[in-house]
């Protein structure tokens, strides 16, 4: 209901949402918002779990705002890279709903372990969106505090973070910080390609046998750089979980409501001691793998167009409009916020100072090291040997 509109029940204006078993073209896909913007009240997953996302109007609007903002900031990053201001960018285009839905499902005490593409989750954790830009500009290591925001540093080594996450989750169990509503849970993000890594399979084993409070969140964006999904697996990825002894579910990763509901359920199960689970968020990488990739060399335009019709933002917009959850100015106001935040971000990125070369010796050890001190001194003498050196 729009604020300041007392007495008019928005819900009464709405068509009653349907409930259903997950059926149709993909009977295993949990979907709570169709590409046409129709909300489904509840869906029963393959293992009998009932999923629903009956949120307040403020929450629906909030999710839409998040989706638009993270897409706009991401587009700004791609533009900055094209203009030579970033060394590289890994775009989240197309994956906004998987990231915002799961990111908003995290409770404050939960810990997330990202890859290099989780800018949307980072945003939901309340981290200043400038942070990954330092990393991709090559001027710092990505400067947020993982403990403060409960969001670990980006990990480029494919799949490695799933082991870090599992170890962290086992620590939660050992410290007795689970079992109730205030218990902690851990989410590890990774891609479809990462499922072929030994690390990920080892993490599955450890999480399973130690009943770790873990959610494995796989964004199946259909490609590992140029390698399509059929080069990784002969079974749907979520079904792999059964072999490791924990539940797996496939969610429509372009549906922010389903991504939210499924992740919330999995995290709450984990914090209450019910062990790990695997979520396969079925989505699509609409852009290049990174800015150094050219996807036209390995995929056809019609495939991209088919996924365009499933756009996560368009369906949320259709839902908000049809259900009259927003007033006439809402979409323009969100667009304006996205425009001004991305402009502000751009200005701050351009103003980032280049680091002094000698700072590469910083932060290697918490208390320094004699060997490093020696190397630093040698490096300083080398830099000073240049004529007119100010360094
Ligand atoms: C251990 C390791 N092997 C190879 C690479 C090179 N590499 C970078 S991204 C990538 C593909 C990852 O695909 P996926 O897991 O599907 O994630 P996506 O990039 O699609 O989000 C590879 C092979 C790496 N970074 N780390
Ligand atoms: Mg992938």
């Amino acid at each position: 209901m729009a604020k300041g509109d007392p007495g008019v029940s928005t819900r009464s204006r709405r068509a009653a949402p349907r409930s259903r078993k997950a059926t149709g073209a993909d009977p295993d896909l949990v979907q709570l918002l169709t590409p046409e913007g129709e909300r489904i009240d509840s869906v029963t997953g393959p293992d009998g779990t009932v999923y629903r996302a009956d949120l307040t109007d403020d929450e629906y609007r909030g999710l839409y705002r998040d989706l638009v903002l993270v897409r706009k900031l991401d587009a700004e990053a791609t533009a900055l890279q094209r203009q030579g201001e970033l060394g590289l960018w890994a775009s989240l285009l197309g994956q906004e709903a998987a990231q915002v839905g799961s990111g908003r499902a995290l409770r404050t005490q939960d810990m997330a372990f990202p890859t290099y593409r989780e800018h949307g989750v980072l945003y939901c954790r309340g981290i200043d969106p400038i942070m990954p830009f330092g990393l991709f500009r090559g001027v710092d290591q990505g400067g947020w505090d993982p403990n403060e925001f409960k969001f670990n540093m980006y990990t480029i080594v494919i799949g490695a973070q799933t082991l870090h996450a599992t170890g962290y989750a086992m620590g939660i169990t050992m410290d007795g910080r689970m079992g109730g509503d205030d218990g902690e849970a851990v989410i590890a993000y990774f891609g479809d390609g990462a499922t072929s890594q030994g690390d990920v399979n080892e993490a599955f084993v450890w999480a399973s046998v130690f009943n770790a409070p873990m959610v494995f969140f796989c964004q199946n964006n259909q490609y590992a750089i140029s390698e399509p999904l059929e080069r990784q697996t002969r079974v749907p990825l979520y079904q792999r979980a059964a072999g490791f002894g924990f539940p797996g579910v496939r969610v429509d990763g372009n549906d922010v409501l389903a991504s939210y509901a499924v992740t919330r359920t999995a995290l709450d199960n984990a914090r209450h001691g019910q062990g790990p689970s695997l979520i396969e968020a079925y989505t699509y990488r609409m852009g290049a793998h990174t800015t150094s990739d050219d996807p036209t060399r390995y995929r056809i335009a019609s495939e991209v167009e088919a996924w365009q019709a499933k756009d996560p933002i368009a369906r949320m917009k259709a839902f908000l409009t049809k259900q009259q959850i927003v007033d006439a100015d809402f979409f323009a106001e969100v667009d304006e916020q996205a425009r001004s935040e991305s402009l502000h971000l751009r200005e701050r990125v351009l103003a980032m100072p280049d680091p002094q070369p000698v700072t590469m010796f910083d932060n290697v050890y918490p208390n320094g090291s004699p060997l490093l001190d020696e190397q630093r001194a040698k490096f300083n003498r080398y830099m000073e040997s240049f004529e007119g050196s100010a360094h």
Side-chain angles (χ1 to χ4, degrees):
M1 189 189 307
K3 275 200 180 123
D5 190 17
V8 183
S9 162
T10 317
R11 296 205 191 290
S12 66
R13 289 200 297 265
R14 298 179 192 164
R18 296 180 285 135
S19 293
R20 65 175 177 89
K21 271 200 155 33
T23 52
D26 184 348
D28 295 338
L29 190 75
V30 174
Q31 186 182 73
L32 292 170
L33 189 64
T34 69
E36 295 73 36
E38 185 197 352
R39 188 169 83 78
I40 297 155
D41 187 50
S42 66
V43 175
T44 305
D47 67 352
T49 305
V50 177
Y51 298 102
R52 53 163 46 90
D54 193 9
L55 306 180
T56 66
D57 289 352
D58 263 349
E59 288 168 329
Y60 289 132
R61 285 190 288 261
L63 289 173
Y64 177 82
R65 191 181 295 275
D66 288 340
L67 294 171
V68 172
L69 279 164
V70 301
R71 176 172 292 184
K72 181 69 178 170
L73 296 175
D74 184 78
E76 194 63 52
T78 300
L80 280 164
Q81 195 283 333
R82 289 291 182 248
Q83 291 157 10
E85 299 294 346
L86 300 180
L88 186 78
W89 186 249
S91 169
L92 59 66
L93 186 62
Q95 300 176 218
E96 297 88 351
Q99 295 197 12
V100 168
S102 61
R104 287 294 177 204
L106 287 161
R107 298 190 194 269
T108 320
Q109 69 270 26
D110 296 337
M111 181 74 189
F113 286 77
T115 70
Y116 39 80
R117 205 185 288 285
E118 268 69 67
H119 323 305
V121 186
L122 176 141
Y123 186 86
C124 292
R125 290 264 85 183
I127 297 172
D128 183 341
I130 190 89
M131 288 300 179
F133 285 76
L135 192 66
F136 284 98
R137 193 170 161 88
V139 297
D140 63 37
Q141 318 279 352
W144 63 90
D145 177 351
N147 285 326
E148 182 187 350
F149 294 100
K150 295 274 188 178
F151 185 81
N152 202 47
M153 304 310 293
Y154 278 0
T155 300
I156 309 282
V157 182
I158 299 299
Q161 73 282 1
T162 59
L163 282 172
H164 310 156
T166 301
Y168 188 100
M170 288 166 63
I172 289 174
T173 314
M174 290 171 194
D175 291 347
R177 291 185 279 127
M178 55 179 280
D181 287 347
D182 60 350
E184 296 178 30
V186 179
I187 190 166
Y189 289 89
F190 55 102
D192 44 292
T195 62
S196 299
Q197 287 289 119
D199 284 12
V200 174
N201 291 270
E202 289 159 22
F204 287 171
V205 172
W206 282 80
S208 175
V209 299
F210 283 90
N211 206 43
M214 270 298 305
V215 175
F216 292 101
F217 193 93
C218 176
Q219 284 170 87
N220 175 1
N221 64 7
Q222 313 299 329
Y223 287 91
I225 313 185
S226 55
E227 289 297 300
L229 184 65
E230 61 262 28
R231 288 282 173 271
Q232 312 293 343
T233 187
R234 290 291 177 107
V235 297
L237 289 175
Y238 76 95
Q239 289 181 6
R240 293 249 185 106
F244 292 91
F246 52 85
V249 60
R250 177 181 272 181
V251 63
D252 183 343
N254 285 18
D255 169 354
V256 72
L257 300 185
S259 296
Y260 174 88
V262 167
T263 311
R264 213 356 112 92
T265 301
L267 287 166
D268 285 347
N269 288 344
R271 85 179 76 258
H272 283 103
Q274 292 176 39
S277 54
L278 169 64
I279 297 171
E280 177 191 0
Y282 202 76
T283 182
Y284 194 76
R285 196 196 74 211
M286 294 299 290
H289 169 70
T290 65
T291 45
S292 64
D293 169 47
D294 174 9
T296 62
R297 295 178 64 131
Y298 55 84
R299 66 186 193 186
I300 51 173
S302 60
E303 181 183 292
V304 183
E305 280 159 24
W307 278 92
Q308 187 70 50
K310 301 177 190 173
D311 183 64
I313 298 185
R315 73 174 76 180
M316 197 60 185
K317 191 172 191 175
F319 164 67
L320 294 175
T321 307
K322 278 192 220 168
Q323 297 297 325
Q324 300 175 28
I325 295 172
V326 293
D327 56 33
D329 302 333
F330 176 76
F331 296 120
E333 183 258 307
V334 172
D335 286 347
E336 177 49 31
Q337 182 188 348
R339 198 195 63 81
S340 89
E341 281 195 24
S342 61
L343 191 63
H344 183 50
L345 183 80
R346 157 175 289 270
E347 287 165 359
R348 292 167 69 209
V349 169
L350 298 183
M352 277 178 160
D354 282 346
Q356 292 299 317
V358 73
T359 57
M360 72 172 134
F361 295 99
D362 296 348
N363 304 317
V364 178
Y365 296 108
N367 304 313
S369 102
L371 183 62
L372 217 56
D373 291 346
E374 205 180 292
Q375 288 178 359
R376 184 189 290 107
K378 199 171 168 189
F379 182 75
N380 273 331
R381 283 197 299 279
Y382 169 72
M383 294 301 280
E384 280 158 15
S385 70
F386 289 98
E387 198 183 359
S389 169
H391 301 290

